[in-house]
Structure formats: C-alpha cells, structure tokens
Amino acid sequence: MAAPFTLRKIGVPPNSANLTEARRRVFDYFRAACRSIPTIMDIYNLQDVVAPSQLRFSISAQIRKNAHVTDPKVIDLLLFKGMEELTDIVDHAKQRHHIIGQYVVGEGLVQNTGSKDQGKSDFLKNFYTSNYF
Amino acid sequence: MSTTFSSSVSSMQATSLATFQKPAALVSRTNLSFNLRRSIPTRFSISCAAKPETVEKVSKIVKKQLSLKDDQKVVAETKFADLGADSLDTVEIVMGLEEEFGIEMAEEKAQKIATVEQAAELIEELVEANK
C-alpha cells in the first residue's frame, strides 16, 4: 500500500501562461483531490454511504461544469477556490452533512429516500413540489 | 579472402571509370555467403507485454468509468479516445486504476497513457517494483 497522501500547502503560484499549463494544473488538482479521497472517507465516515469511485465522479463533474472556460486566469481562480474547498474538507473544517449534501446527494449519486415520504400518495407529492400538475 | 578482394578492386580501378559494369568476379565476392546460424522468424507477432488478467481488470474499470455496455469490445490496443473519453476521463481512469491496484503513478508517465495496453504495462511495472 502506498504511503498516505498528504496535501502540501504551497503559496499562490504565479498565473499560468497559457491554456496548456492551466490544463496541467487542473489535472494536478484532480489527482491531488482523488488521492485525498481515502482520507476524506476516513474523516467523515463515508464508508457506507459512497464508494470512492462515486466521489471521483462528483469531483470530475464539478470540474466539467466549468469545462467551457478558456481564459487561463479564470481557470487559475477556479482552481484556487477548488483548492481552498479541498483544503477545508481535508482539515475537517466541514461536517459530514456538508459533504453528503454537496457532493453525494447534490450530484445525484445517492437518492435521499426519506422514510416519511414513502407512504404518501402521488397527489400529495406533486402538491408539495408545485402548484401546477 | 581479403587479399583477393583488394586485388580485384585494384584491377577494377585500373580499367576506365566510365564503365560501371562490375566484373563477374567482384559480384560473386559481394554475395552474402555467410550462413545465418539462428533462424530468424519471418513474421513478427505484436504481443501484449502485459498479463491478460491485468488487461481484463483494466478494461473492466474503463467500461465502468465510461459507462460502456458490456458487449463493447475493449482489447489491449483500444485507445481511450476511441471509446469517447476526453482527457479528464483518462485521468479519472488512471486514478481508478491507482486505487484498484494500490500503486501511485508518476505524473509524466500517466500523461502518456493512451491505450489499455500501455496502462496495463505501467501497472505491472509498478506492482513489480512495489514487491
């Protein structure tokens, strides 16, 4: 088993010169995030909730949401915010329900089947969601 | 043998250089008269250097990652780009393989992976190095 991965906190690097370097940074960030997944699952006790592959999928989905960006400076800023988020999560500055709400249920990986909704009729379900059905 | 060759060369130089017709003696000297001791195979077979079960595991992960149907053929030479993967997908596949086999790939090597076979070979290299 490889040594556990630790997130090294480097200062803000200078802006990337072109799109290729920005791409490289995105992939580096993605790799760092994926390698921190075992730590994250350990900290927040997500072993029964998600699989690591599902968390990888949600990370890549977040990256893909911004895949249309072409300006290297914008990419740098998005990466900075992403790195901040990742550092917060790894430092246990967030809580379990944050992770589950934002990255598990939020990406549609695990359906939140509340027990109080199961016996209700379809009429009531539609009524609760909107006026027009 | 070498002395006869040099004598025939010198005799050729003595004649005029306008004619490039080689004397018959010189032609026979330049034949390949030595025998090939080993038999060289006439046909190269491109074989995958990685073990089949590694390739199998890699293809399973690739299929799951790219959500391919089970009957889609994934062999050693399949390129990830052909299966509809973009560069982020390729990195994700590599991370999935890292988790599955418990290895860590260096970034430069991982960037070069384009086919299933390259991935399987790199994995085997790292697994061997870990042991």
Side-chain angles (χ1 to χ4, degrees):
Chain A
M1 187 65 184
F5 175 76
T6 47
L7 210 58
R8 281 172 310 147
K9 291 166 208 187
I10 327 172
V12 180
N15 273 340
S16 27
N18 48 19
L19 205 53
T20 341
E21 195 182 333
R23 254 167 92 88
R24 203 181 57 86
R25 284 198 189 170
V26 170
F27 292 148
D28 285 345
Y29 169 72
F30 182 64
R31 271 186 269 261
C34 286
R35 289 191 179 135
S36 322
I37 286 181
T39 320
I40 294 173
M41 295 194 59
D42 192 38
I43 293 177
Y44 298 100
N45 292 325
L46 297 171
Q47 288 88 0
D48 295 326
V49 179
V50 267
S53 55
Q54 288 176 311
L55 282 178
R56 273 198 295 273
F57 171 76
S58 75
I59 298 176
S60 65
Q62 298 269 346
I63 294 181
R64 259 180 245 275
K65 270 189 211 164
N66 294 318
H68 57 276
V69 178
T70 52
D71 189 2
K73 288 193 183 154
V74 176
I75 295 178
D76 280 343
L77 189 60
L78 289 169
L79 278 180
F80 180 76
K81 292 172 76 70
M83 200 63 192
E84 189 182 18
E85 176 86 7
L86 179 64
T87 316
D88 282 345
I89 292 178
V90 170
D91 283 344
H92 209 339
K94 293 206 158 201
Q95 289 172 335
R96 192 168 181 255
H97 64 276
H98 294 125
I99 311 294
I100 294 182
Q102 286 172 348
Y103 299 108
V104 178
V105 174
E107 302 286 343
L109 291 174
V110 171
Q111 297 304 322
N112 194 7
T113 56
S115 55
K116 58 185 166 93
D117 278 344
Q118 267 165 5
K120 291 207 177 96
S121 60
D122 284 332
F123 172 79
L124 273 181
K125 279 191 194 142
N126 292 333
F127 180 73
Y128 288 143
T129 53
S130 79
N131 283 335
Y132 307 101
F133 55 88
Chain B
M1 185 170 170
S2 57
T3 52
T4 52
F5 183 76
S6 57
S7 65
S8 60
V9 165
S10 59
S11 67
M12 186 178 135
Q13 282 171 347
T15 57
S16 65
L17 291 170
T19 60
F20 288 101
Q21 191 181 13
K22 286 186 188 169
L26 194 58
V27 169
S28 62
R29 284 280 178 266
T30 55
N31 273 349
L32 284 178
S33 57
F34 55 90
N35 291 331
L36 295 175
R37 306 259 163 94
R38 302 175 282 118
S39 65
I40 298 175
T42 52
R43 171 175 63 86
F44 284 129
S45 59
I46 298 174
S47 59
C48 185
K51 291 199 273 273
E53 53 266 7
T54 318
V55 175
E56 189 56 42
K57 278 193 194 170
V58 172
S59 351
K60 204 159 63 106
I61 290 182
V62 169
K63 276 191 194 164
K64 198 175 87 145
Q65 178 62 43
L66 300 173
S67 309
L68 300 170
K69 291 199 257 295
D70 273 332
D71 53 355
Q72 175 107 15
K73 238 166 61 80
V74 178
V75 287
E77 285 88 27
T78 320
K79 286 205 183 117
F80 293 133
D82 290 340
L83 299 167
D86 62 0
S87 47
L88 192 62
D89 274 326
T90 314
V91 180
E92 208 171 335
I93 290 173
V94 168
M95 299 308 299
L97 295 171
E98 275 193 18
E99 183 212 341
E100 166 85 16
F101 292 96
I103 51 179
E104 269 211 18
M105 295 202 194
E107 184 206 317
E108 308 83 23
K109 286 194 189 164
Q111 286 284 75
K112 296 203 188 77
I113 293 183
T115 67
V116 174
E117 180 181 338
Q118 284 171 346
E121 279 174 10
L122 196 56
I123 288 170
E124 284 194 353
E125 229 180 86
L126 287 165
V127 167
E128 280 302 315
N130 272 351
K131 282 196 195 144

